[in-house]
Amino acid sequence: MFFVETIDVAGLGNRSYLAGGTQTAVVVDPPRDIDRVIAAAARRGVRISHVVETHVHNDYVTGGLELARLVGAAYLVPAAARVSYGHIPVHDGDRHEIDTTAGLSLRALATPGHTPHHTSYALEENGTAVAVFSGGSLLIGTVGRPDLVEPRLTEDLARAQHASAHRLAAELPDGAAVLPTHGFGSFCSASQATGGATTIGEEKTSNEALTLDVDTFVTRLLAGLDDVPAYYTHMGPANAAGPAPVDLSPLTVADAEEIAARLAAGEWVVDLRSRVAFAEGHVAGSFNFEAEGQLATYLAWLIPWGKPVTLLAESAGQLAAAQRELVRVGIDRPAAAATGEPSRWARAGEVLASFPRATFADLAEHSGNGLVVLDVRRDSERAAGHVEGSVHIPLHTLQGRLHEVPEGQVWVHCAGGMRAAIAASLLDAAGRDVVAVDDGFDSADRAGLTVRTH
């Protein structure tokens, strides 16, 4: 008998896996905060004998090197990956025994496309493949994007993705579970996953990589590629060099004077509370990245890399969870932190800043009053439809383009409210009169505000 336990990294839209038998197990594409993985193995009563990487990751910092060191496991990395630390290079067709008593082994399958060196691993029970850890190759209803390595390689890698998907479909049984790393919100996915579980057989009937000819597939894949988070530039090199161990110890506590000094120095002060609480009252100049949103993705995307950041949280638990999320993308030790109420974060006599929230119905009532409507969605979202007369500046470019926002009161919106709240906080910190539209974009349709492109 074997087991596969999924370790969700929801904030980044990824999954890692612990799989094994009664005695030993393998970990596939572990997150940086490896204590979760070690705890899962302890609950199962198994020893981690192998840690494997499907590829050098572009969207998060791996915990594989440190995990293998701590537990004494063999560390398997694709042979063609250029890394600067000790590991066992994996070649196509290599087999590694995972749990001999359960008849479990891993078979490496070269599946280039997401990266040139990408490798999938078939989990075999007594010689029969029961699952495949497909990393960024074959995902649920899609594939990993091929444009993260080198622009000149993108089309070739897209064609390789098609071939790799067909290889997995041809060599593995229809009943084999497909267990990808990406596709659950990660920007490493060419599109979002269409469900929570799948098999080779199901993908044969639903995945365009397996239902379209290569030319049509490549054309559609390349046309659908979206923006790449800026922090991805730093992930590959960090993973190739060998990430340092994680330090999740409590952060230095900042009082109101220190928070003010850090703001004055041009550092980032990030309020992790809900967008509702932030709008009602916050330290002037601070930015709002909700702890319950895609904190790591958007903070790492927007912040100038390496700039000191101070975290403000409503509780110690919220702060610790945020700290854990941020180490996954290489923001290791925020400069300082504070918890509690915003009144405690402002100096005596300072008035908390605030701004109103609204709906698209409210916007419809106020349209024509000279207000500015700012759409901070990505290009691909706007292409499907937009609010008539709106200005379009995607959120990830806004900080450097604030001067492009026309004069007047700014009503800022996205698709659901989270990104609009971030944008509103950036505008508010810059001294603009802002209203955050905290509403789903479907409501703009109902309010008669949208122009649909298709």
Side-chain angles (χ1 to χ4, degrees), residues 395-417:
L395 174 61
H396 61 275
T397 69
L398 180 60
Q399 185 70 355
R401 299 174 61 187
L402 289 171
H403 62 281
E404 298 179 28
V405 181
E407 294 298 317
Q409 186 180 63
V410 183
W411 288 54
V412 59
H413 80 84
C414 60

Side-chain angles (χ1 to χ4, degrees), residues 2 28 89 91 106 154 157 178 227 232 296 320 359 381 410 417 419:
F2 70 94
V28 181
H91 300 85
L106 281 184
T154 296
L157 289 176
V178 177
D227 301 298
Y232 278 24
T359 64
E381 296 172 282
V410 183
R419 287 173 293 170

